[in-house]
Amino acid sequence: MERGRHGRETQSRRPDGTTVGRAKQRAYAIGALQEGDDLSELRELLRTAGVATVGQAVQHRDQPHPNTYLGPGKLEEVKDAAKRADANLIAVDDELSPRQGRNLEEQLGMPVIDRTAIILDIFASHAQSAEGKLQVELAQLEYNLARMRGLWTHLERLGAGRGEGGIGTRGPGESQLETDRRLARDRISALRRKLREVKGSRAVMRAERERGHLPQVALAGYTNAGKSTLLNALTGAQVGVRDRLFHTLDPNTRAMRLDGRPYLLTDTVGFIRKLPHQLVDAFGATLEETRLADLIVHVVDASVDEDEMVAMTRAVEDVLDEIDAGDRPRLLVLNKADRIDDERREELRFRHPDGILVSALTGEGLADLGEAIERAFRETLRTVDLLLPFAEGGRLAELHDVAGDGLDRTDTAEGVRVRGRVPATVAERFARFDVSRNGAATSDGA
């Protein structure tokens, strides 16, 4: 019996002849934490990657050991515990330096995988679009480039004894290492060129959207907070939803209407604690959708306990700051209300008075969220009083598209008098028709 993309589960036979499932990859999780012993997120990452967690160990340290991540005494404990748990893999709750990774494998006698490698593996399995696959490959190559040396140490030893320095002293291992590094760098350069082209195409599509001056709303939040479900609930879309980390990697943009006004709502990749910098760099074009949004709707999972929710919220805010989106207007949405009791609801009202409690699954609170989005945009709108000549019918239609039902229109002998509230950028475009600014509108100088 086999299950999962990597054949993660096999069958073993009991003495009575019955069979029992046995995970093919069985990880023993370790972490160096300042306090606490919570490795639940690492275990969830492993589960998403199809790896069973058979045990864990935490050492309380201000900083991980520079050479072996954990201290020598703790390593001996982990080695014995992992063997008793029948582990065949060590999973680490941090990104390891190449030296830490090599030393851990030597000390523990089994393969070691760090948090970044696990996340990259998940991204690789979830990427669907051509852009997503390019981004993941770039992140993986940049991560592996610094770790290539360890792959060829067995060949480097063949060059030993040829003398100290000079021509002819390098063994075939060093030559192969240099070849692989050059190939990796060439591929990285090619991927970056392709992603620049993708970024250009995305910029063209964004310019088309902005030409209509539709308000841009981005859903941001911790992975698995329910952003895709919320997108579907607000827009009627059918974006795929699953209960797993990083299910959505590619941005999905859909249109929605609130009180007659059209909006564009975009769901992008979820964030996580210690999100690898390789991914932040590689997914720059995707994350730009968040950075350039007029409003960020920060979706959090309100069904977890308060400390965990605060940690998730802080992780998202850190990434938003990293991609220069920290200053964007923001709404806090407390999702998954269908999973919480009255006591938790009261706690949320007290601790997060500005938060909007919703359930994307049942529809609870979605009307309140719509009103909050409208209020956020109304605060940025500018009042205009315009006189458009009858020949400017196209401009009038554009105003109706932008302002929805919020326009007051009167036909006069000179043209159509329009009063209403529109985004500041639209007001500037129609400034030459502004009665209050010009005294009388003119049709020249378009």
Side-chain angles (χ1 to χ4, degrees), residues 244-407:
R244 63 178 187 177
L245 303 185
F246 301 119
H247 180 62
T248 300
L249 298 186
D250 302 306
N252 294 298
T253 299
R254 300 291 186 272
M256 67 175 180
R257 281 189 173 269
L258 298 174
D259 195 25
R261 183 190 298 276
Y263 295 78
L264 290 178
L265 187 63
T266 299
D267 175 26
T268 60
V269 61
F271 302 148
I272 198 170
R273 272 190 320 110
K274 300 184 240 181
L275 187 67
H277 67 274
Q278 296 95 341
L279 285 174
V280 175
D281 292 341
F283 278 72
T286 300
L287 294 173
E288 195 170 26
E289 297 288 342
T290 303
R291 184 173 65 82
L292 297 179
D294 298 302
L295 176 69
I296 295 175
V297 174
H298 181 175
V299 184
V300 301
D301 181 354
S303 68
V304 301
D305 64 56
E306 182 65 21
D307 289 342
E308 186 177 357
M309 194 183 93
V310 169
M312 290 177 173
T313 302
R314 189 176 299 117
V316 172
E317 291 173 347
D318 289 344
V319 177
L320 290 175
D321 287 338
E322 188 174 351
I323 64 174
D324 297 325
D327 61 344
R328 308 307 297 163
R330 203 175 308 174
L331 287 178
L332 178 63
V333 173
L334 310 172
N335 193 27
K336 304 189 181 181
D338 53 292
R339 297 187 180 182
I340 61 178
D341 57 21
D342 291 341
E343 182 178 351
R344 176 62 174 153
R345 286 169 180 261
E346 188 62 33
E347 181 183 16
L348 290 169
R349 276 192 289 269
F350 175 75
R351 292 180 179 271
H352 308 281
D354 295 330
I356 304 159
L357 186 63
V358 308
S359 169
L361 195 63
T362 67
E364 177 186 349
L366 294 187
D368 293 337
L369 174 57
E371 291 175 5
I373 292 174
E374 287 185 83
R375 281 197 304 273
F377 277 103
R378 278 201 298 270
E379 292 174 1
T380 67
L381 298 180
R382 184 185 299 177
T383 300
V384 294
D385 185 358
L386 310 175
L387 181 62
L388 279 76
F390 291 112
E392 297 286 353
R395 294 293 186 91
L396 184 61
E398 181 182 339
L399 273 176
H400 277 290
D401 286 340
V402 172
D405 300 330
L407 288 181

Side-chain angles (χ1 to χ4, degrees), residues 61-298:
R61 306 175 58 95
D62 291 335
Q63 297 289 337
H65 193 286
N67 294 322
T68 55
Y69 186 69
L70 301 181
K74 193 66 175 180
L75 280 181
E76 286 300 317
E77 293 180 20
V78 167
K79 186 175 182 178
D80 292 341
K83 189 176 296 184
R84 289 195 305 272
D86 193 29
N88 57 10
L89 179 70
I90 300 295
V92 182
D93 193 35
D94 282 289
E95 180 171 331
L96 297 173
S97 69
R99 177 174 60 179
Q100 287 174 321
R102 289 195 299 270
N103 290 340
L104 269 179
E105 290 197 343
E106 290 176 4
Q107 294 283 334
L108 299 176
M110 66 180 67
V112 172
I113 186 169
D114 67 10
R115 181 187 181 92
T116 298
I118 298 168
I119 294 174
L120 289 174
D121 181 78
I122 294 170
F123 269 58
S125 66
H126 292 186
Q128 300 294 325
S129 70
E131 179 186 358
K133 292 175 182 178
L134 288 174
Q135 291 168 324
V136 171
E137 184 183 354
L138 175 60
Q140 288 177 320
L141 279 170
E142 291 182 330
Y143 170 79
N144 288 324
L145 185 59
R147 292 160 175 79
M148 281 185 175
R149 187 173 189 85
L151 300 177
W152 298 104
T153 52
H154 64 294
L155 291 178
E156 287 176 20
R157 297 191 194 100
L158 298 179
R162 290 194 180 186
E164 296 288 337
I167 297 174
T169 61
R170 288 178 297 182
E174 187 69 21
S175 175
Q176 182 65 60
L177 173 63
E178 290 174 350
T179 300
D180 283 1
R181 281 178 170 166
R182 176 176 54 78
L183 291 172
R185 290 192 184 102
D186 289 347
R187 180 60 179 163
I188 286 172
S189 296
L191 289 169
R192 285 177 175 163
R193 282 195 300 271
K194 290 181 180 179
L195 285 171
R196 280 196 294 272
E197 294 172 4
V198 170
K199 184 176 182 179
S201 299
R202 190 181 293 282
V204 171
M205 290 188 292
R206 187 182 298 113
E208 287 294 325
R209 296 201 303 261
E210 290 175 350
R211 189 168 292 120
H213 299 286
L214 299 183
Q216 310 275 325
V217 183
L219 297 176
Y222 213 77
T223 182
N224 216 26
K227 299 185 301 301
S228 296
T229 305
L230 186 59
L231 177 80
N232 290 341
L234 290 172
T235 67
Q238 297 295 321
V239 173
V241 175
R242 284 188 61 183
D243 183 19
R244 63 178 187 177
L245 303 185
F246 301 119
H247 180 62
T248 300
L249 298 186
D250 302 306
N252 294 298
T253 299
R254 300 291 186 272
M256 67 175 180
R257 281 189 173 269
L258 298 174
D259 195 25
R261 183 190 298 276
Y263 295 78
L264 290 178
L265 187 63
T266 299
D267 175 26
T268 60
V269 61
F271 302 148
I272 198 170
R273 272 190 320 110
K274 300 184 240 181
L275 187 67
H277 67 274
Q278 296 95 341
L279 285 174
V280 175
D281 292 341
F283 278 72
T286 300
L287 294 173
E288 195 170 26
E289 297 288 342
T290 303
R291 184 173 65 82
L292 297 179
D294 298 302
L295 176 69
I296 295 175
V297 174
H298 181 175

